[in-house]
Amino acid sequence: MEKYTQALPPHSPLHSPQNNSEALSRSPSLPQPAAVLSASLPSSPTTPYSYLHFTSTPRASGGSHCLSPSTVSDQDDLTCLSWLHQRGNLLPLQPLPKITTLPQTLDPIPVQQLPSSGAKPPYSFSSLIFMAIEDSAEKRLPVKGIYEWIVDNFPYYKEAPGGWRNSVRHNLSLSKSFQRIHRDKSQVRQTSSQNFLNSLVYAD
DNA sequence: ATCGCATTAAACAAGA
DNA sequence: CTCTTGTTTAATGCGA
């Protein structure tokens, strides 16, 4: 039915005052955002979804703006997560043993700095979503898959009230860094609700 | 004090 | 009808 791909805004969630400071306080070795994503944005969340594809391109030097050559306005989008494509910014902070492409230059985060199973992860929902998607084989996930990834990797959310799922969906809708992808009808559910759930996909 | 962002809650619509 | 997904709005808290 539908899928999502990632678009681009300029400032990272972790760059935001609240979460960034918190995350950085627990992980001083986090590098500054340095990746950029080249893409175009859907005209509107309410317009028919298209099958846009995005590529990430490395940026020469630091800074916190997206440098999408095609859409200058994107640089002003405060929901940009393109820098997250430099996954080293996040993954060293949390348990993602499956990831094997971490930059060698990044220092591992001391265990004691990682959130305990009962502590709320020091990541914004945007970051969690991004990590979930990045950790998926196809770089795309259904909403349900995002929920599951978060729960699997951050046990805090196993016990947390269900409101965080609403927040996840809220972020998916609000952030232009995530794009909805419509699945091919040939791939869309057979009949069950489970398949329906899998038909909604987010990707970066 | 103000601004921007993240979080949270809630309402509502649509689809299965 | 129920559940899930998706969108939108509003309130709140925090840091700069």
Side-chain angles (χ1 to χ4, degrees):
Chain A
M1 189 188 291
E2 303 165 356
K3 302 175 183 178
Y4 271 75
T5 58
Q6 188 177 52
L8 14 160
H11 308 298
S12 74
L14 291 183
H15 239 176
S16 66
Q18 186 173 348
N19 288 285
N20 193 31
S21 57
E22 181 181 5
L24 291 178
S25 67
R26 303 189 189 188
S27 54
S29 65
L30 270 183
Q32 290 301 306
V36 76
L37 190 64
S38 174
S40 59
L41 293 172
S43 55
S44 159
T46 57
T47 56
Y49 301 101
S50 58
Y51 296 84
L52 301 178
H53 296 281
F54 302 97
T55 57
S56 59
T57 57
R59 181 164 50 190
S61 59
S64 61
H65 295 85
C66 287
L67 297 178
S68 172
S70 60
T71 55
V72 176
S73 62
D74 293 345
Q75 300 177 25
D76 296 327
D77 193 311
L78 299 180
T79 59
C80 180
L81 294 178
S82 60
W83 64 275
L84 285 171
H85 274 218
Q86 190 176 43
R87 50 174 47 179
N89 290 342
L90 290 177
L91 299 181
L93 277 171
Q94 41 69 50
L96 281 179
K98 286 180 283 185
I99 301 300
T100 58
T101 58
L102 298 178
Q104 298 297 316
T105 57
L106 294 174
D107 296 330
I109 304 304
V111 174
Q112 61 270 25
Q113 292 185 19
L114 293 174
S116 65
S117 61
K120 188 175 183 179
Y123 305 113
S124 67
F125 284 112
S126 294
S127 299
L128 293 175
I129 295 166
F130 181 90
M131 287 187 280
I133 293 171
E134 275 297 292
D135 199 34
S136 66
E138 298 182 347
K139 306 300 183 189
R140 62 180 61 173
L141 279 176
V143 173
K144 191 184 179 203
I146 294 172
Y147 294 159
E148 291 172 348
W149 185 93
I150 291 174
V151 167
D152 287 345
N153 289 276
F154 299 96
Y156 165 83
Y157 290 105
K158 274 181 184 169
E159 309 299 330
W164 66 272
R165 291 182 175 82
N166 191 4
S167 296
V168 167
R169 296 195 305 275
H170 171 77
N171 267 271
L172 289 170
S173 290
L174 206 64
S175 175
K176 291 178 180 177
S177 295
F178 305 114
Q179 195 168 12
R180 201 162 133 200
I181 303 171
H182 293 251
R183 255 191 191 172
D184 292 340
K185 297 202 172 185
S186 60
Q187 295 180 317
V188 176
R189 106 209 56 68
Q190 288 74 45
T191 50
S192 71
S193 60
Q194 181 60 50
N195 284 328
F196 167 67
L197 295 177
N198 288 333
S199 70
L200 298 171
V201 182
Y202 286 86
D204 67 306

